Amino acid sequence: MKTGWILMVAVLATGALMLSGCGKAKEKAAAKAMELSLRHAGANDASVDISGQKMTIKTEKGEVVFSGGDSASIPADFPKDVYVDKGAKILMAMKNPEGFVINLETGAAVPEVAEAYDAGMKAQGWAPDASMDMGETRSLTYKKDARQITIVISNSGKATSVMIAVNEKKS
């Protein structure tokens, strides 16, 4: 079983839950439905816990923890050497067996945000690996040791969206 599908299910289901404003009964029903879906996909020991805007999925492959909305916060064990704009609003945070994904929002323009992240990552010892400038969207990739970071910065209309994906390879 691959954990990739767990991530997709977690993101889609939690997004739907956050939009629907589920109560306790709906949270339990949604958790049970997800458990059944995960078991059907091969995760026989899957358990799902949904509480407000936080969801935890546990399987034999590991655990995925997702928080969104007002309860979103950067996980305590998020790498301290990854630059994160302290003034940005946290929209979503997810921890999974491979690493972390966080989504932020800021009022600064895409070029300004990209420059800040480039300088911040380099200051923390990260080596640039790749970058793409597509006008309203920038993608930056960095490597350090056996880890890789991808940062996607894009204009989301009224604000600038920042997605940081940390891939921590386990030996």
Side-chain angles (χ1 to χ4, degrees), residues 52-131:
Q53 295 175 327
K54 182 177 180 185
M55 177 173 59
T56 303
I57 300 173
K58 294 180 184 178
T59 73
E60 71 274 0
K61 296 292 185 181
E63 182 176 279
V64 175
V65 179
F66 180 98
S67 66
D70 294 336
S71 71
S73 62
I74 295 175
D77 54 347
F78 187 82
K80 303 298 182 218
D81 64 346
V82 174
Y83 174 80
V84 177
D85 177 2
K86 301 297 182 219
K89 179 181 178 185
I90 302 164
L91 301 177
M92 182 278 299
M94 181 173 43
K95 178 181 177 185
N96 61 69
E98 290 84 25
F100 303 86
V101 176
I102 60 173
N103 278 352
L104 311 165
E105 185 176 79
T106 181
V110 170
E112 180 183 335
V113 175
E115 288 175 20
Y117 273 88
D118 187 51
M121 293 301 290
K122 288 176 180 175
Q124 293 292 331
W126 289 85
D129 187 48
S131 66

Side-chain angles (χ1 to χ4, degrees), residues 14-169:
T14 303
L17 287 171
M18 288 170 43
L19 293 174
S20 67
C22 287
K24 292 291 179 195
K26 288 183 181 179
E27 288 173 356
K28 282 189 173 191
K32 289 297 176 195
M34 286 186 61
E35 286 174 358
L36 288 172
S37 295
L38 290 167
R39 288 183 182 131
H40 180 70
N44 294 325
D45 67 340
S47 69
V48 178
D49 178 41
I50 300 171
S51 178
Q53 295 175 327
K54 182 177 180 185
M55 177 173 59
T56 303
I57 300 173
K58 294 180 184 178
T59 73
E60 71 274 0
K61 296 292 185 181
E63 182 176 279
V64 175
V65 179
F66 180 98
S67 66
D70 294 336
S71 71
S73 62
I74 295 175
D77 54 347
F78 187 82
K80 303 298 182 218
D81 64 346
V82 174
Y83 174 80
V84 177
D85 177 2
K86 301 297 182 219
K89 179 181 178 185
I90 302 164
L91 301 177
M92 182 278 299
M94 181 173 43
K95 178 181 177 185
N96 61 69
E98 290 84 25
F100 303 86
V101 176
I102 60 173
N103 278 352
L104 311 165
E105 185 176 79
T106 181
V110 170
E112 180 183 335
V113 175
E115 288 175 20
Y117 273 88
D118 187 51
M121 293 301 290
K122 288 176 180 175
Q124 293 292 331
W126 289 85
D129 187 48
S131 66
M132 287 194 314
D133 181 349
M134 299 164 280
E136 292 296 313
T137 301
R138 304 250 178 118
S139 174
L140 309 169
T141 304
Y142 299 88
K143 287 189 176 183
K144 185 176 185 182
D145 305 322
R147 298 178 296 156
Q148 181 174 327
I149 305 280
T150 300
I151 303 168
V152 178
I153 304 159
S154 60
N155 182 331
S156 62
K158 297 179 182 176
T160 297
S161 173
V162 179
M163 187 276 306
I164 303 171
V166 181
N167 183 4
E168 298 192 316
K169 296 185 180 181

